[in-house]
Amino acid sequence: MAGNSSRRGAVRKTGTKKGQVAGSGGNRRRGLEGRGATPPAEERTKHAASRRAKMADKSAQKHGGRPGTTGGRVASRKNDDAPEVVLGRNPVVECLRAGVPATALWVAVGTDSDERLKESVQRAADAGISILEVPRNDLDRLSANGLHQGVALQVPPYRYAHPDDLIGAARAHQEPALLVALDNITDPRNLGAVVRSVAAFGGHGVVIPQRRSASVSAVAWRTSAGAAARLQVARATNLTRTLKDWQTKGVMIVGLDADGDTTLDDFDGSGPIAVVVGSEGKGLSRLVRETCDSILSIPMAGPVESLNASVAAGVVLADIARQRRA
């Protein structure tokens, strides 16, 4: 209302829309500019992923040190060239029973002892594995949920053979080659079970693809019941190319599938053979299937449509071993 500015107590404040507003003159313009894309978690120094990456790098350079100072890896690792850490009393003692080639056993200070821990310490001592007592928070950093139960085992990365070494092992024994190739097998327990079956039935090795495949981790070691120490596991850059190379060396490539053109009852397994096992869900990949000389099926009496990959491999290997003994 006109005349209000002269009303008693009325004050005109500076910087309102009625008067001139003072600006910064561009002095704070830099603070309003964007800072670019957010860097990956591994590159942010205060992020947990960055700390884990640094721990893994240090651990890869030096094994057997304290977790948190020389690093460590949790069981779900992504880098196959880094050591793996097995957490928990049952997994640790099972790995030691299976003869997993560990480099260090870590026990948290003040951990309550039980039969599993005593056995782990005794087995580690008998195997010459370093036994280190570490602060509990060092193990806490290796476990996402803190369920390490005061004990951890460091396992070095597995040393894979070359696919040609498997053929050489068969020739060294002067026997027809019996090999197994895994296609799309991503469960390390299946890998460990297959390795155990191949060793039990006189096979000469297992080959796995370098990508999209389970690796010889502590879980696979444990499932193989120590057979991974006696049997060579090779890694192929290209599985199809490896199978074709084996064909040129006189090895028959046989794929397993429920819709095979030959049944196990009619199959002759006396010659050099490489059995290709696909996953239970996806089966054999297209290129691998086209490379196979024959597709083999297992006759079943019940309504079951398919078998677990490791079970199917064990059935076929057992029958081939029976034929060769006869």
Side-chain angles (χ1 to χ4, degrees):
M1 181 180 297
N4 275 351
S5 59
S6 60
R7 179 175 52 85
R8 183 179 180 183
V11 178
R12 173 171 289 181
K13 298 180 180 179
T14 60
T16 65
K17 62 181 180 180
K18 292 185 178 180
Q20 184 178 3
V21 179
S24 65
N27 293 331
R28 294 196 298 271
R29 184 180 301 170
R30 184 177 299 177
L32 299 176
E33 295 178 354
R35 299 185 180 181
T38 302
E42 293 79 4
E43 296 181 7
R44 286 178 265 168
T45 56
K46 296 185 179 181
H47 197 281
S50 176
R51 293 193 295 268
R52 287 195 296 267
K54 291 180 180 179
M55 291 170 63
D57 293 339
K58 293 179 181 178
S59 184
Q61 298 173 3
K62 181 179 179 181
H63 303 329
R66 277 182 50 189
T69 56
T70 57
R73 296 290 292 173
V74 296
S76 59
R77 58 186 176 140
K78 295 182 180 180
N79 183 9
D80 292 331
D81 296 329
E84 180 182 4
V85 174
V86 181
L87 302 170
R89 300 194 181 193
N90 279 334
V92 166
V93 73
E94 288 174 6
C95 284
L96 292 171
R97 289 171 182 170
V100 174
T103 54
L105 175 67
W106 298 321
V107 181
V109 176
T111 299
D112 295 333
S113 181
D114 62 1
E115 294 300 324
R116 295 169 297 174
L117 183 57
K118 291 179 181 178
E119 182 180 352
S120 297
V121 172
Q122 185 61 49
R123 287 183 177 272
D126 294 341
I129 300 172
S130 300
I131 303 173
L132 304 172
E133 194 173 31
V134 299
R136 180 170 291 271
N137 58 0
D138 284 353
L139 297 186
D140 291 339
R141 284 195 289 268
L142 299 179
S143 174
N145 51 18
L147 298 179
H148 49 73
Q149 298 176 308
V151 63
L153 187 72
Q154 188 181 51
V155 180
Y158 183 81
R159 294 185 179 181
Y160 294 94
H162 190 276
D164 292 343
D165 297 337
L166 308 186
I167 301 292
R171 292 175 178 173
H173 288 85
Q174 298 181 350
E175 298 172 345
L178 179 55
L179 309 171
V180 172
L182 301 183
D183 183 29
N184 291 321
I185 301 296
T186 57
D187 190 341
R189 290 168 294 186
N190 275 336
L191 171 58
V194 169
V195 170
R196 187 175 184 177
S197 296
V198 173
F201 297 115
H204 302 102
V206 176
V207 63
I208 60 175
Q210 188 168 1
R211 294 181 298 173
R212 295 185 295 275
S213 171
S215 58
V216 184
S217 62
V219 175
W221 264 101
R222 195 166 69 245
T223 310
S224 73
R230 304 186 299 271
L231 189 78
Q232 294 187 95
V233 178
R235 182 176 261 177
T237 305
N238 187 302
L239 183 59
T240 303
R241 188 182 306 132
T242 296
L243 296 177
K244 290 181 178 180
D245 180 64
W246 283 356
Q247 285 176 324
T248 62
K249 297 176 181 178
V251 178
M252 174 184 284
I253 309 300
V254 179
L256 297 188
D257 193 278
D259 299 326
D261 50 32
T262 306
T263 65
L264 186 59
D265 295 339
D266 302 326
F267 179 69
D268 180 11
S270 58
I273 297 171
V275 180
V276 187
V277 183
S279 66
E280 186 176 352
K282 297 181 180 179
L284 299 173
S285 59
R286 181 182 60 84
L287 292 178
V288 169
R289 188 184 182 93
E290 293 174 355
T291 304
C292 293
D293 299 305
S294 178
I295 303 298
L296 187 66
S297 64
I298 301 173
M300 292 180 287
V304 179
E305 296 181 358
S306 62
L307 295 174
N308 174 270
S310 60
V311 173
V315 170
V316 173
L317 292 170
D319 191 77
I320 292 175
R322 179 192 59 78
Q323 294 184 35
R324 295 187 176 188
R325 285 196 306 270

